[in-house]
Amino acid sequence: MSSEDIQRRRSSQISIQEEFPVPHFASDMVRKGSRESSFDCITTAFNGHGGFGGSNEPSIDWMFSAMTNDHDDPRRIDAIGSFFGPMLVVSEAYGMILELVVNDENGRTHVAAACACYPPGTLDSDGSTMKSGGDRYHFGLSTYNVAPTFMNKEVTGEAFVQRLAAFKQDSEWDQRRKEYGKMWYV
């Protein structure tokens, strides 16, 4: 990491309440998260496994359904984790992860929702959160320290890899973010 990157990480250690106007009634429910604390919430929301009662993310479902339609298939859950794990590492290091937490009837705290946020000036040089093959990409992979099984055709199948490539090629998000100028990316 460069000294600029380290400074960004340090500056993101400021509490949410000091940095952002979280309404008083929600101050005990919104917190700064981490990749570890938000991982299950993010992967479950995007994949829909484990009895998740909501609607999972359609484009992710389209890509991963090429592998299997069974959301509880351990191969699919592992592939989803290897897809989002490095992204959460990068989000924590260069942006920030916000969580909405709730307490159950036994007083245990659970992450009910999570999102990765990037303040203006914290996206990669190409307008993405992490450029494929770039420094952030390799930082995310090496820090997450789990093989990117979503890239393994023997696990996911050829159709999944083709859908992943089509999804990336069809989206112009990174270019559009650059055109929009300085703004938060969530």
Side-chain angles (χ1 to χ4, degrees), residues 6-22:
I6 292 169
Q7 183 56 40
R8 280 189 188 143
R9 181 155 173 76
R10 285 183 185 146
S11 67
S12 72
Q13 301 303 318
I14 299 171
S15 77
I16 296 168
Q17 285 74 21
E18 292 172 13
E19 199 169 357
F20 308 104
V22 175

Side-chain angles (χ1 to χ4, degrees), residues 18-158:
E18 292 172 13
E19 199 169 357
F20 308 104
V22 175
H24 178 68
F25 68 87
S27 63
D28 61 338
M29 296 173 11
V30 177
R31 72 179 185 195
K32 184 170 181 177
S34 69
R35 68 179 191 250
E36 292 91 357
S37 61
S38 64
F39 181 82
D40 287 340
C41 179
I42 293 285
T43 57
T44 302
F46 276 89
N47 185 47
H49 59 274
F52 178 67
S55 297
N56 61 320
E57 207 285 324
S59 58
I60 298 295
D61 192 44
W62 173 73
M63 285 188 295
F64 282 88
S65 68
M67 168 181 190
T68 177
N69 284 317
D70 180 2
H71 296 221
D72 290 312
D73 184 313
R75 295 172 309 130
R76 181 170 164 147
I77 294 170
D78 288 345
I80 288 277
S82 76
F83 185 78
F84 283 105
M87 290 181 196
L88 290 170
V89 167
V90 170
S91 297
E92 185 178 34
Y94 294 91
M96 116 178 10
I97 299 171
L98 295 179
E99 297 174 341
L100 174 68
V101 295
V102 295
N103 292 324
D104 65 16
E105 61 278 356
N106 297 320
R108 292 182 301 234
T109 302
H110 301 276
V111 178
C115 66
C117 309
Y118 290 81
T122 60
L123 292 174
D124 214 342
S125 60
D126 68 341
S128 68
T129 56
M130 60 180 200
K131 181 171 41 178
S132 185
D135 290 343
R136 289 184 185 192
Y137 176 82
H138 291 292
F139 169 73
L141 284 176
S142 64
T143 303
Y144 185 60
N145 201 26
V146 172
T149 55
F150 74 93
M151 300 285 285
N152 184 341
K153 286 189 238 183
E154 292 178 13
V155 173
T156 61
E158 181 72 30

